[in-house]
Amino acid sequence: MSKVVVVDHPLVQHKLTMMRDKEAGAKDFRELLSEISMFLAYEVTKDLPVEDYVVETPICETTSKVIAGRKLAIVPVLRAGLGMVDGFLTLVPAAKVGHIGLYRDPETLQPVEYYCKLPPDIDDRDVVVLDPMLATGGSASAAIDFIKQHGAKHIKLMNLIAAPEGIERVQKDHPDVTIYVAAIDEKLNEHGYIVPGLGDAGDRLFGTK
Ligand code: PRP
Ligand code: URA
């Protein structure tokens, strides 16, 4: 079964509370999501391998550590996943960025794919899928399926808020994928929204409602 890592640093909890507030505008919402994404990215990259590197300090020569050349790709799920890209790239500027466009059909709640562009060497990279909301888990599971079809073998999922239903779905469909999340909320409502959640992440991020 896939592991779930809850990143509940006090600053993350504080910023997430600000995001949940229905009075928060798009500017604040965007900035807070970007900031929390840095904390999540810190955890996601915690197991990157390091290797020795000889460096000359102003005092003497020493052997220190650098990242051991493992290649990373991040894949935001459009639209809301875009809000996590800048924060991640602030920590890992060399990561390549793919995009998967999915929206949830409001009636069936099934994910509908409308765009996909992945780095050509995705099969050779560690991949992190970015999406703030893990609700039914349909979108995340479909995105991961798609990335696996392109040959990627090491995939992680980075979410802001997850519902227990979404975690269960990803664990069932993709037991090899570790989930990183800032909070696990109570449940889904009858429209498939996370309760208490923060509403529609894409709309709040881009001011489309
Ligand atoms: C949201 C969110 C996820 C999906 C989660 O996207 O960003 O991709 O819903 O729901 P699920 O776990 O039940 O699949 P949405 O379909 O609203 O598209 P948008 O980001 O373009 O607004
Ligand atoms: N998508 C969102 O943006 N919010 C939810 O609560 C569920 C799916």
Side-chain angles (χ1 to χ4, degrees), residues 161-176:
I161 302 178
E165 294 88 335
I167 291 176
E168 206 175 298
R169 171 76 187 268
V170 173
Q171 287 184 325
K172 181 170 150 286
D173 294 353
H174 301 289
D176 54 309

Side-chain angles (χ1 to χ4, degrees), residues 54-198:
V54 178
V55 63
E56 181 108 25
T57 78
I59 309 300
C60 66
E61 187 180 285
T62 186
T63 301
S64 194
K65 301 286 180 192
V66 290
I67 304 280
R70 188 101 146 255
K71 296 198 283 186
L72 265 184
I74 55 174
V75 180
V77 176
L78 307 182
R79 292 174 300 164
L82 290 174
M84 304 177 97
V85 171
D86 280 358
F88 201 104
L89 289 179
T90 300
L91 295 199
V92 192
K96 291 275 192 294
V97 186
H99 295 86
I100 293 185
L102 292 173
Y103 70 87
R104 253 186 2 165
D105 182 290
E107 300 299 324
T108 65
L109 299 184
Q110 292 307 305
V112 181
E113 188 205 319
Y114 60 89
Y115 184 78
C116 179
K117 181 85 180 167
L118 298 174
D121 60 350
I122 191 93
D123 56 329
D124 203 23
R125 291 181 177 271
D126 288 0
V127 180
V128 186
V129 177
L130 311 181
D131 194 333
M133 309 307 277
L134 182 64
T136 65
S139 304
S141 185
I144 295 166
D145 271 338
F146 210 74
I147 293 164
K148 284 184 174 173
Q149 281 162 27
H150 283 74
K153 286 165 277 302
H154 304 284
I155 302 173
K156 294 176 175 179
L157 176 62
M158 183 172 128
N159 303 117
L160 180 67
I161 302 178
E165 294 88 335
I167 291 176
E168 206 175 298
R169 171 76 187 268
V170 173
Q171 287 184 325
K172 181 170 150 286
D173 294 353
H174 301 289
D176 54 309
V177 171
T178 300
I179 303 168
Y180 294 80
V181 66
I184 301 172
D185 276 9
E186 195 188 323
K187 60 177 181 186
L188 296 179
N189 69 14
E190 64 278 21
H191 306 292
Y193 276 89
I194 298 175
V195 180
L198 48 68

